[in-house]
Amino acid sequence: MVSIARVMRVAAPGGPIGRLGRWTHAPPALWVPALVVGLLLALPLVYLVIRTAGAGDDAWALLFRWRTVMILLRTVALVVTVTVASVLIAVPVAWLTVRSNLPWPRFWSVVAALPLVIPSFVAGLVVQVALGPRGMLQQALEPILGVTELPSIYGFPGAALTLTLLSYPYVLLPAQSSLRRQDPLLEDASRSLGHGRRATLRRVTLPMLGPAVGAGSLLVALYTLTDFGAVSLLRYETFTWAIFVQFESAFDRGVAAALSLVLVALAAAILAVEAVARGRARYHGVGPGAMAEPRRILLGRWMAPALALMAALGAVALIGPMGVLAYWVGRGLAGGQELISVWEPLLNSVLVAALAAIAAAVASLPVAALVVRYPSRFAWVIERATYTGFALPGLVVAISLVFFAVNLARPLYQTLFLLIMAYVVLFFPAMLAAVRTALAQVRPNVEDAARTLGRSPIATLVQVTLPLIWPGIASGIGLVFLLTMKELPATLILGPIGFKTLATATWSAASEAFFARAAMSALLIVLAAGVPLLLLRLRMGRATPAATPPVRQ
């Protein structure tokens, strides 16, 4: 019988863990493209260093003020709260939709993932209108219960609630992909060693989710760190808000660059914590394994609470916000407000989102292979460098690319290529996390067997590795597509003249107080991203191996 401990810790291919001290032992065909990707994604960091180096003493003095320390503490508190809350929501939902006999699991998966496509500034507006002092909830409760005032939603409570409801899908998507890929023989081995279902869940299933939950938590933390829309509308000052104020109000951007470097330092600390938590464990089996889907657990008397949980989550995170937006559209139409055509912004949004997702997928393959198959200090540096863009606001990334384009590659300025590059810089970690998690669960001896049978490295990649990690790639593509659909600052700055997306159309309409137009564009963002997500989920469901009979809990 395969030892559980042996399965959970297998040395990386290419030698023992001690070889991590080498610069790199990967073939040039792998580390060269990975290095190019890492350098391109690190351009914003280079820009910030150049700007900060040229800043005056005022920029450095600002960093050591007590107010800056308080902003730092508020930012850390928000990041920790949102990350923990997202994990507590996502892991049970992932288990229910993948490992239980919950009815309509793909439907619930789509509903639970769709909040990811709601822009944070739209969610902030919805929370204001629905839960504010004289919001829709208070007006509905007043004639029934006599409620004249609700607790203030502004500040930390509103920001934490809004960002949690927007961020938990970052953990949900990789967790679901990981659960689908888990080898059922691991749980069978645990049961044969005398462990019950709960002990197996605690000692085998949940630890195997470690890479996926860690990668998703990392994205939640970095997303919360860089959000501006929700925290500004709900009046909770974080580092991102302070950076935006400096960029908009100060002629010298050196101060904003210095604050941005502090944000990068915070992101580096988060990455370090995630790396320590991940450790050096490997999460693939050493035996031939099985291609059957892990057994689904019969919920029994827990079916009703599970359905209630999923329905409540869908109502709070998706149906409620969409209902508020639909109310705005209906109110605008009833008031005679004209809705402008949104077909051109819709097509533009789909085009750039698809191109960005494909580009991120191609760029992530060499980096993921380097990190998983050839771990070294070089691979570690490349992986951490790719997270720079996700740790910065879109405004900072866009301005840094404008700086390099104007000074070094002027023909790229005001082109779709530069805009798509900004999307890749911003959202590459989302793709890398999904691909890295999927590749970590592929047994290296499968690839070695293909090589011994005469397959070239390229043929092995195309015929063996890519089909095995396709669920992870598909999840990453969907995630980058959804994120690109709602990106605002980078699109406003880098989009060609006259180029509009649904996000920019929503922002323009809201800034001019045309809330019906803004609501229409926001609803289309959800629809445009939700339909491909639904098709992707259905296709992945058909591609899943035949399910084994469910067992009673």
Side-chain angles (χ1 to χ4, degrees):
M1 182 60 63
V2 178
S3 169
I4 297 297
R6 186 184 176 197
V7 170
M8 294 296 292
R9 285 194 177 272
V10 181
I17 295 299
R19 295 188 64 180
L20 289 175
R22 295 186 57 179
W23 179 70
T24 181
H25 50 279
L30 188 61
W31 69 259
V32 170
L35 177 62
V36 172
V37 171
L39 291 175
L40 290 176
L41 296 180
L43 284 180
L45 182 60
V46 176
Y47 164 78
L48 293 178
V49 172
I50 294 174
R51 278 290 188 183
T52 305
D57 295 337
D58 292 340
W60 297 103
L62 178 66
L63 298 181
F64 298 98
R65 290 169 51 186
W66 177 248
R67 178 176 174 81
T68 304
V69 176
M70 292 303 298
I71 295 175
L72 173 64
L73 294 177
R74 283 195 291 268
T75 302
V76 172
L78 183 65
V79 168
V80 172
T81 301
V82 172
T83 302
V84 173
S86 296
V87 172
L88 293 178
I89 293 174
V91 172
V93 171
W95 188 87
L96 285 173
T97 54
V98 176
R99 298 299 308 275
S100 76
N101 65 328
L102 187 75
W104 319 298
R106 287 196 292 272
F107 168 78
W108 292 119
S109 295
V110 173
V111 170
L114 276 178
L116 194 65
V117 308
I118 303 176
S120 64
F121 65 92
V122 172
L125 286 173
V126 169
V127 170
Q128 279 185 323
V129 172
L131 303 179
R134 294 291 299 174
M136 297 172 63
L137 179 60
Q138 188 274 329
Q139 294 178 17
L141 293 177
E142 185 173 5
I144 302 175
L145 302 176
V147 176
T148 59
E149 185 179 358
L150 293 175
S152 176
I153 197 64
Y154 293 102
F156 181 83
L161 173 65
T162 303
L163 290 176
T164 298
L165 294 178
L166 296 179
S167 303
Y168 76 84
Y170 284 116
V171 182
L172 175 65
L173 294 179
Q176 288 177 322
S177 178
S178 177
L179 283 171
R180 291 189 182 96
R181 295 290 303 164
Q182 283 187 11
D183 192 338
L185 288 183
L186 298 179
E187 295 181 350
D188 292 342
S190 175
R191 297 295 303 279
S192 68
L193 293 175
H195 298 298
R197 293 189 180 94
R198 293 183 180 179
T200 299
L201 176 68
R202 184 177 67 256
R203 297 184 180 185
V204 178
T205 306
L206 293 181
M208 288 286 287
L209 277 177
V213 173
S217 299
L218 179 63
L219 296 179
V220 171
L222 295 178
Y223 176 79
T224 305
L225 193 65
T226 60
D227 177 73
F228 172 73
V231 297
S232 62
L233 289 170
L234 296 169
R235 306 172 192 172
Y236 185 75
E237 188 176 18
T238 62
F239 253 105
T240 304
W241 191 359
I243 290 170
F244 270 79
V245 170
Q246 287 295 326
F247 264 114
E248 291 183 351
S249 62
F251 177 76
D252 184 8
R253 289 176 174 169
V255 175
L259 291 174
S260 298
L261 283 181
V262 176
L263 207 61
V264 173
L266 277 176
I270 294 172
L271 290 170
V273 171
E274 187 270 343
V276 171
R278 191 200 323 166
R280 295 173 178 175
R282 297 294 180 263
Y283 297 86
H284 51 73
V286 296
M291 293 303 293
E293 181 184 6
R295 296 180 180 89
R296 292 181 177 267
I297 305 298
L298 294 177
L299 293 175
R301 66 178 182 274
W302 295 101
M303 177 66 75
L307 286 173
L309 171 65
M310 298 303 301
L313 182 63
V316 173
L318 181 64
I319 304 302
M322 295 303 99
V324 173
L325 294 177
Y327 169 78
W328 284 352
V329 173
R331 184 174 179 178
L333 292 176
Q337 188 176 144
E338 295 183 1
L339 301 181
I340 61 175
S341 174
V342 293
W343 290 112
E344 182 179 355
L346 173 62
L347 293 177
N348 289 339
S349 296
V350 172
L351 173 64
V352 295
L355 293 176
I358 294 172
V362 173
S364 69
L365 290 176
V367 178
L370 184 70
V371 170
V372 175
R373 293 292 185 249
Y374 301 93
S376 64
R377 292 177 181 174
F378 173 76
W380 183 87
V381 171
I382 293 296
E383 181 188 18
R384 300 304 152 182
T386 62
Y387 282 89
T388 301
F390 206 81
L392 293 171
L395 174 66
V396 177
V397 172
I399 291 177
S400 66
L401 293 182
V402 169
F403 174 82
F404 284 106
V406 170
N407 289 278
L408 301 176
R410 186 172 290 272
L412 295 180
Y413 184 61
Q414 287 288 311
T415 64
L416 282 181
F417 178 86
L418 195 64
L419 178 60
I420 292 171
M421 182 177 175
Y423 292 146
V424 174
V425 172
L426 286 169
F427 307 130
F428 183 84
M431 175 64 69
L432 179 62
V435 176
R436 186 190 68 192
T437 301
L439 188 59
Q441 293 181 314
V442 175
R443 292 181 293 274
N445 58 354
V446 175
E447 299 168 333
D448 295 340
R451 296 294 304 277
T452 59
L453 292 176
R455 296 289 191 274
S456 66
I458 299 298
T460 301
L461 173 67
V462 174
Q463 299 176 10
V464 178
T465 307
L466 287 182
L468 290 175
I469 66 174
W470 169 245
I473 295 176
S475 295
I477 288 176
L479 194 54
V480 174
F481 184 92
L482 301 182
L483 292 171
T484 304
M485 287 288 295
K486 64 176 183 177
E487 171 57 29
L488 178 62
T491 310
L492 287 173
I493 295 174
L494 295 176
I497 297 176
F499 185 82
K500 288 187 177 182
T501 64
L502 289 175
T504 60
T506 303
W507 178 83
S508 298
S511 63
E512 297 174 2
F514 293 114
F515 295 112
R517 297 179 183 177
M520 176 61 72
S521 299
L523 286 173
L524 281 178
I525 291 177
V526 178
L527 179 63
V531 171
L533 180 62
L534 175 61
L535 296 177
L536 176 63
R537 290 285 173 165
L538 291 176
R539 181 173 182 179
M540 290 176 64
R542 289 196 299 268
T544 302
T548 55
V551 297
R552 186 170 300 279
Q553 180 66 32

